[in-house]
Amino acid sequence: MDEDDIILDVSWLVARAEAAAICFAATDQIVYDHIIFHWTYVSPQGNARRHLYHYRYGNGVDYNENVRGLFDANPRIRERVFSMIHAQMRANHRWDSGSIIGRGVDDGQPPPIRQQDYDSDDWVNSNGNIDEVHWRLIGDYNPYDNRETDDRAYYLREVGRDRIRMIQVEITIRDPYTWHPLEVRPTQCIHQAMERLKASGAADYVTVGTAIISMPSVY
């Protein structure tokens, strides 16, 4: 065991203790109220609070996510998604749109946005893994597409050897908002309480959202 393992174990124990304190002798609604209070006053996390409120009282309708805010607040997500889009464009020069889908344990494919990719606690507590990212180039400009010439002149003319052109890409995300009462984790009792709230009106829903983002033409 190295130092990182020790830190991880301690963090796991602290998270478990904090969750147990919230859950101890509390009704499921009180557990919910504790989390809302925490994300409102103790550690303000507006996005996470709105998602949880929607789960409790939104009747299962889709939640419209602020995709631009997600990308602005999480540079590592932006870097990962852009690199995957470029990988698809390099492999398929005629593509002007595509999808990146992975559902983790459900299909064995890593999600396009993983929990470890976030820079913001607020955003990771809002969405966690995001299973689907769909993209479409605005103006049908693919920097790897040489259809206009027989060589790389079109690509070099558009991009230039010493500069990077920003191109517009429409990003759409789609992901189910669910709790995981059967998975062993430090906050398992909270997940179990949130799942039981379905008996009094809480409901899973799908997070969806679209935004046009500026992406470097060479990545």
Side-chain angles (χ1 to χ4, degrees):
M1 178 180 292
D2 59 22
E3 184 178 354
D4 289 340
D5 294 328
I6 295 172
I7 293 173
L8 179 61
D9 289 345
V10 171
S11 299
W12 196 94
L13 291 172
V14 169
R16 183 178 180 182
E18 291 175 345
I22 292 174
C23 296
F24 179 72
T27 67
D28 298 334
Q29 182 63 39
I30 290 175
V31 172
Y32 167 87
D33 291 339
H34 274 309
I35 300 171
I36 290 292
F37 179 87
H38 185 82
W39 284 345
T40 302
Y41 300 106
V42 180
S43 176
Q45 298 183 28
N47 294 309
R49 185 183 68 249
R50 285 189 291 272
H51 271 274
L52 183 58
Y53 183 89
H54 191 76
Y55 170 77
R56 183 71 181 94
Y57 299 111
N59 299 314
V61 302
D62 289 354
Y63 182 96
N64 187 24
E65 187 59 278
N66 177 5
V67 176
R68 178 173 296 280
L70 170 66
F71 273 63
D72 287 346
N74 298 278
R76 285 186 294 170
I77 286 177
R78 190 167 61 244
E79 178 180 354
R80 175 175 167 81
V81 171
F82 285 172
S83 76
M84 289 189 291
I85 291 174
H86 274 272
Q88 289 192 346
M89 291 195 299
R90 284 195 302 270
N92 304 275
H93 292 180
R94 302 298 176 89
W95 281 17
D96 297 314
S97 63
S99 297
I100 308 162
I101 299 174
R103 297 186 170 86
V105 296
D106 292 337
D107 65 1
Q109 299 298 319
I113 298 175
R114 307 162 301 178
Q115 293 193 33
Q116 63 264 39
D117 299 322
Y118 287 84
D119 298 281
S120 163
D121 289 340
D122 185 11
W123 282 100
V124 72
N125 288 326
S126 300
N127 294 293
N129 294 338
I130 294 178
D131 295 346
E132 298 182 26
V133 172
H134 307 277
W135 60 273
R136 180 176 66 88
L137 297 180
I138 302 300
D140 292 335
Y141 172 72
N142 182 334
Y144 304 98
D145 186 348
N146 295 322
R147 278 178 287 182
E148 291 196 3
T149 66
D150 293 330
D151 53 30
R152 293 171 60 84
Y154 172 67
Y155 166 79
L156 294 174
R157 182 174 66 249
E158 290 292 337
V159 179
R161 293 181 180 274
D162 57 352
R163 68 182 181 89
I164 296 176
R165 172 175 174 170
M166 301 303 291
I167 59 179
Q168 301 297 296
V169 57
E170 182 183 83
I171 303 287
T172 297
I173 66 167
R174 182 177 178 85
D175 187 66
Y177 184 98
T178 59
W179 293 85
H180 304 276
L182 301 180
E183 294 184 13
V184 177
R185 59 181 72 201
T187 55
Q188 186 176 16
C189 71
I190 293 176
H191 282 256
Q192 292 169 341
M194 295 302 99
E195 183 72 12
R196 288 192 297 267
L197 281 176
K198 289 180 178 178
S200 57
D204 294 341
Y205 60 87
V206 176
T207 297
V208 296
T210 298
I212 296 176
I213 310 291
S214 294
M215 179 181 72
S217 57
V218 178
Y219 208 77

